[in-house]
């Protein structure tokens, strides 16, 4: 945009004595000024992290209901006429920044889930006070389970805590709040 402004200023000097080209330059200059005001709004609203909840908050900030399905097909000039985004730019930028941080967290949680799914979980049957451990012998555990009082039977799982903790700290280091 700054190079367009510089070019237009040079053209104004060149066409100083010609009224028609100066009218065109003036018209383009005003449209460029309007676009310059809209660029931060466009950047904030094009955030891929914006979810329905964020659009609701933006609607609350501008005092209007926003129908996200209509936003995809709306032109820039219609959007600018319909919604007072420029007047509420600071609130919109804050909501957009929050959405971007939430998207980072969601992405990291998704990656953590994918890694955790691959972690083995060993389930063992404990009997009574835990002194009898039937281990991984599924047949023995099922037979014992049928003959025991349900109140005395419990299950324990080995999640390999050290590996899970390493994954958590690794993922937390990637998220910048």
């Amino acid at each position: 945009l700054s190079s367009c402004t510089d070019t237009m200023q040079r053209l104004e000097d060149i066409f100083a004595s010609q009224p028609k080209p100066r009218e065109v330059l003036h018209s383009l200059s005003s449209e460029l000024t309007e676009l310059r005001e809209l660029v931060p709004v466009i950047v904030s609203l094009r955030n891929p992290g914006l979810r329905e909840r964020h659009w609701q908050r933006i609607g609350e900030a501008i005092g209007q209901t926003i129908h996200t399905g209509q936003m995809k097909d709306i032109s820039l000039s219609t959007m600018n006429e319909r919604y007072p985004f420029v007047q509420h730019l600071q609130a919109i930028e804050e909501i957009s920044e929050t959405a971007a941080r939430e998207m980072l967290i969601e992405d990291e949680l998704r990656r953590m889930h994918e890694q955790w799914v691959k972690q083995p979980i060993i389930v063992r049957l404990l009997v009574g006070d835990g002194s009898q451990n039937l281990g991984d012998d599924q047949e023995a555990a099922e037979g014992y389970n049928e003959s025991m009082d349900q109140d005395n039977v419990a299950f324990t799982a080995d999640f390999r805590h050290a590996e899970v903790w390493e994954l958590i700290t690794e993922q937390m280091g990637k998220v910048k709040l």
Side-chain angles (χ1 to χ4, degrees), residues 6-7 20 27 63 66 75 89 102 117 124 141-142 164 166 173:
D6 294 341
T7 302
K20 286 288 183 191
S27 174
I66 298 175
S75 71
L89 179 60
E102 289 175 2
V117 167
R124 283 179 252 135
E142 287 174 5
V164 172
E166 287 174 19

Side-chain angles (χ1 to χ4, degrees), residues 147-162:
S147 67
M148 280 297 297
D149 177 15
Q150 292 297 320
D151 294 334
N152 292 328
V153 178
F155 290 91
T156 184
D158 178 9
F159 289 96
R160 295 173 48 177
H161 297 287

Side-chain angles (χ1 to χ4, degrees), residues 53-80:
R53 65 182 178 272
H54 302 113
W55 284 105
Q56 287 176 332
R57 287 185 54 211
I58 291 171
E60 291 167 6
I62 66 172
Q64 292 187 20
T65 302
I66 298 175
H67 302 285
T68 55
Q70 296 172 349
M71 291 299 287
K72 295 175 184 173
D73 300 325
I74 195 170
S75 71
L76 185 58
S77 61
T78 303
M79 178 195 74
N80 194 33

Side-chain angles (χ1 to χ4, degrees), residues 21-38:
R22 283 186 58 82
E23 282 180 37
V24 171
L25 285 172
H26 180 68
S27 174
L28 285 174
S29 178
S30 65
E31 287 183 24
L32 188 60
T33 301
E34 182 181 334
L35 180 61
R36 185 175 283 120
E37 291 175 357
L38 288 176

Side-chain angles (χ1 to χ4, degrees), residues 62-136:
I62 66 172
Q64 292 187 20
T65 302
I66 298 175
H67 302 285
T68 55
Q70 296 172 349
M71 291 299 287
K72 295 175 184 173
D73 300 325
I74 195 170
S75 71
L76 185 58
S77 61
T78 303
M79 178 195 74
N80 194 33
E81 292 169 4
R82 188 177 298 170
Y83 301 108
F85 290 135
V86 174
Q87 292 87 346
H88 302 280
L89 179 60
Q90 183 177 355
I92 293 169
E93 286 177 329
E94 289 172 8
I95 294 166
S96 182
E97 288 171 13
T98 299
R101 287 192 302 269
E102 289 175 2
M103 186 177 79
L104 284 173
I105 292 169
E106 289 168 2
D107 289 345
E108 289 305 317
L109 287 173
R110 203 173 355 272
R111 279 190 274 279
M112 287 172 65
H113 179 269
E114 289 169 3
Q115 288 177 339
W116 288 12
V117 167
K118 298 173 188 172
Q119 294 295 320
I121 299 175
I122 301 166
V123 178
R124 283 179 252 135
L125 178 66
L126 297 177
V127 180
D129 62 0
S131 60
Q132 290 179 294
N133 183 347
L134 296 180
D136 300 327

